[in-house]
Amino acid sequence: MRVCVIGTGYVGLVTGACLSHIGHDVICVDNNEEKVKLMKAGRSPIFEPGLSEIMQSAIEAGRIQFTTDIAAGVAHGEILFIAVGTPPLPTGESDTRYVEAVARSIGTHLNGGYKVIVNKSTVPIGSGDWVRMIVLDGIAERQKTLVTPGAGASEQKLPVSDADFDVVSNPEFLREGSAVYDTFNPDRIVLGGNSTRATDLMKKLYAPIVERQFAEDKSLPQVPVLVTDLSSAEMIKYAANAFLATKISFVNEVANICDRVGADVTQVAKGIGLDSRIGNKFLQAGIGWGGSCFPKDVSALVHTADDYGYEAQLLKSAVSVNQRQRLIALEKLQQALKILKGKTVGLLGLTFKPDTDDMRDAPALNLIEQLNRLGAKVKAYDPIVSQSGMRDGLSGVLVETDPERLADGCDALVLVTDWKQFSSLDYGKMAKLMVNPVMIDGRNFLDPETMVRAGFKYIGVGRSSR
Ligand code: NAI
């Protein structure tokens, strides 16, 4: 099938590359010329395991193109994905201006033939109908220019009433760091819409994935496809993220109580996670949730509830527990080192989670801001950030090129991101290079006994029994 994906960030590029990998003919559109130049050369502008490889093979197979020309993308696609960002506004609402601009542009460039316009971006509930309206506005605007003497005489006029398209909500659940894997091995596919013609086309698009042709375990039953109305699909995305964020805030609250009563939250999480009604995922206590989705999506849902006269008390609490938790490492540093002014703190990891280069709303940024405010010197090592040269939000931070250089002269280290390689560093050597070998394990990732043997004073989150 012919597909156009507009917006080639973490979601759009992975979607475009994976759809071309399963055999579709894809055009990816982005208004960032630098990004398009890179992608045309077969290079991914983001770090995501496996992405460059499938991009390159799709380019070689001639099944993917990259352009800044949205008109070409719209003309090409029978399915048009909107995958632009919906960042948070200071009020907590979602900023939908990029979705609006793309929907309008789709309208102005819509040519003949039936199209499905797919909201892949996470958008406020009710956006499906709103996108339809904006597309129709775009078509109407184009008609105005067509009746202007001299304008686009060769273009074909498309009466608004004949515009043949449907809008589908197809929320994305991929996790950064395993986005390609998740796309080929989804837990479910959600399609919201009120046109069977549109949802049937979407089922056809995803058939190879639903049938597990590209799954790691091909013997699994088919991927469940849930067809709902537009608003329910939009709500599913928010509710899923709000649930996961709340689960983490819950275990963080339990960890804070464990710290006070001398229990170990890792054992508690294991004990409750074995209950099949609870499950063991998202029960890792630590320095709070961050990234480009949870904070903004939970805030947006709280805001939507407010708009409709409902106070989402549980979700507001999940947010406030998280705000406090994001500074738990600072609290522990102050307990261990007392005065931070003039002390040197080394951060192991900067990104909001491993296997990504995404720093948006990363807990490290809060910590850096507070350490700078208190007069501490901050150094950091991150497997991706140290190599990439990206330094946004890292003013006042000395980014080191390896973990031993990081440890050298530090009064404490804080493990901020649980990168796999941090499990096998030479901690004995690192402890010797430090002024004061304190390890604040912000992810409960390291083995306390091993760290003590290496010479560290080990402090986890909710592990005060150790
Ligand atoms: P992103 O910020 O990484 O990418 C957005 C892309 O859209 C950028 O490359 C930007 O240049 C491009 N863009 C903006 N305006 C454009 C326009 N008018 N025409 C063409 N391109 C344009 O965003 P990301 O992280 O991929 O998120 C996209 C959406 O997916 C958001 O709504 C987000 O909430 C949602 N989402 C994100 C997930 C993630 O893990 N990042 C997971 C699930 C959903």
Side-chain angles (χ1 to χ4, degrees):
M1 294 171 79
R2 283 174 288 107
V3 178
C4 165
V5 181
I6 305 161
T8 58
Y10 290 84
V11 165
L13 181 55
V14 171
T15 302
C18 290
L19 288 175
S20 59
H21 187 75
I22 66 173
H24 299 300
D25 184 2
V26 179
I27 289 193
C28 290
V29 181
D30 205 288
N31 60 0
N32 180 326
E33 285 182 17
E34 284 304 306
K35 271 192 180 181
V36 171
K37 224 188 263 172
L38 267 181
M39 296 184 292
K40 276 186 168 165
R43 287 168 52 204
S44 167
I46 53 166
F47 174 76
E48 191 58 54
L51 180 58
S52 299
E53 291 81 346
I54 61 164
M55 269 176 75
Q56 273 151 20
S57 74
I59 291 172
E60 274 160 30
R63 278 203 303 266
I64 196 164
Q65 297 169 61
F66 301 96
T67 180
T68 52
D69 182 1
I70 193 162
V74 172
H76 169 87
E78 43 192 313
I79 299 197
L80 312 174
F81 279 96
I82 302 177
V84 291
T86 46
L89 289 168
T91 53
E93 288 164 281
S94 164
D95 183 351
T96 52
R97 85 181 89 158
Y98 306 105
V99 175
E100 180 173 351
V102 170
R104 196 171 296 283
S105 229
I106 291 177
T108 45
H109 297 298
L110 214 57
N111 52 346
Y114 178 70
K115 310 255 179 192
V116 182
I117 299 172
V118 186
N119 260 341
K120 188 79 146 150
S121 298
T122 303
V123 282
I125 294 122
S127 294
D129 291 330
W130 170 76
V131 162
R132 177 170 187 84
M133 200 185 75
I134 304 289
V135 173
L136 290 172
D137 267 4
I139 297 172
E141 268 167 36
R142 177 177 170 216
Q143 287 184 315
K144 272 193 232 144
T145 64
L146 289 177
V147 292
T148 310
S154 59
E155 285 190 74
Q156 223 193 335
K157 190 167 167 173
L158 178 68
V160 175
S161 55
D162 288 356
D164 200 7
F165 72 93
D166 281 302
V167 176
V168 165
S169 165
N170 173 215
E172 180 54 65
F173 303 102
L174 63 76
R175 298 162 300 173
E176 284 180 22
S178 50
V180 171
Y181 174 88
D182 289 348
T183 305
F184 292 136
N185 302 273
D187 289 335
R188 78 299 210 187
I189 289 171
V190 174
L191 302 173
N194 38 28
S195 147
T196 316
R197 184 180 181 189
T199 49
D200 281 352
L201 270 175
M202 292 301 290
K203 285 185 193 164
K204 191 171 153 202
L205 178 83
Y206 284 126
I209 291 175
V210 170
E211 289 157 11
R212 305 270 186 200
Q213 289 172 26
F214 294 85
E216 194 173 76
D217 181 355
K218 297 190 172 46
S219 67
L220 284 172
Q222 289 204 343
V223 176
V225 178
L226 182 65
V227 179
T228 69
D229 59 89
L230 274 168
S231 299
S232 300
E234 290 159 352
M235 186 68 177
I236 285 169
K237 174 65 194 171
Y238 282 107
N241 274 359
F243 184 85
L244 295 170
T246 304
K247 203 171 172 190
I248 301 173
S249 278
F250 172 84
V251 78
N252 282 336
E253 189 134 277
V254 170
N256 295 339
I257 303 172
C258 283
D259 260 340
R260 283 158 180 82
V261 299
D264 181 345
V265 72
T266 61
Q267 292 179 30
V268 175
K270 200 182 247 175
I272 62 174
L274 285 167
D275 184 329
S276 58
R277 293 168 302 176
I278 297 175
N280 61 5
K281 306 239 173 83
F282 279 71
L283 281 182
Q284 283 78 38
I287 53 171
W289 33 275
S292 68
C293 289
F294 284 4
K296 88 171 169 65
D297 291 353
V298 181
S299 295
L301 186 53
V302 167
H303 200 279
T304 300
D306 273 345
D307 280 350
Y308 288 85
Y310 180 77
E311 189 187 1
Q313 292 183 24
L314 177 66
L315 300 183
K316 281 186 175 172
S317 295
V319 172
S320 66
V321 166
N322 193 54
Q323 279 162 351
R324 193 179 57 192
Q325 200 69 19
R326 284 174 63 135
L327 292 177
I328 200 88
L330 187 74
E331 208 177 281
K332 287 174 185 288
L333 280 168
Q334 287 177 322
Q335 280 162 9
L337 304 180
K338 309 299 177 209
I339 304 297
L340 294 181
K341 201 177 176 71
K343 303 262 167 65
T344 304
V345 177
L347 308 184
L348 267 172
L350 286 166
T351 55
F352 86 98
K353 64 190 283 192
D355 290 325
T356 181
D357 55 0
D358 200 346
M359 288 288 298
R360 288 177 287 184
D361 217 343
L365 299 175
N366 283 100
L367 188 55
I368 290 166
E369 194 188 324
Q370 294 305 318
L371 288 169
N372 281 336
R373 187 180 65 81
L374 291 167
K377 277 167 50 187
V378 187
K379 303 207 287 174
Y381 168 74
D382 181 277
I384 289 286
V385 178
S386 291
Q387 276 161 33
S388 69
M390 52 188 269
R391 297 292 181 265
D392 281 356
L394 299 178
S395 68
V397 181
L398 176 62
V399 179
E400 294 286 12
T401 47
D402 69 65
E404 283 155 26
R405 287 175 70 109
L406 174 74
D408 197 6
C410 276
D411 292 278
L413 291 177
V414 181
L415 189 140
V416 173
T417 316
D418 44 346
W419 284 94
K420 210 167 162 190
Q421 48 268 60
F422 291 168
S423 63
S424 55
L425 301 179
D426 188 345
Y427 285 110
K429 188 164 175 200
M430 286 166 68
K432 287 196 186 82
L433 290 166
M434 292 174 67
V435 174
N436 195 1
V438 170
M439 172 65 76
I440 313 281
D441 183 358
R443 300 287 177 186
N444 288 346
F445 179 67
L446 303 165
D447 175 47
E449 271 92 48
T450 311
M451 295 314 293
V452 170
R453 270 202 305 278
F456 278 95
K457 177 178 165 60
Y458 174 88
I459 303 167
V461 179
R463 303 179 100 178
S464 65
S465 65
R466 315 298 295 230

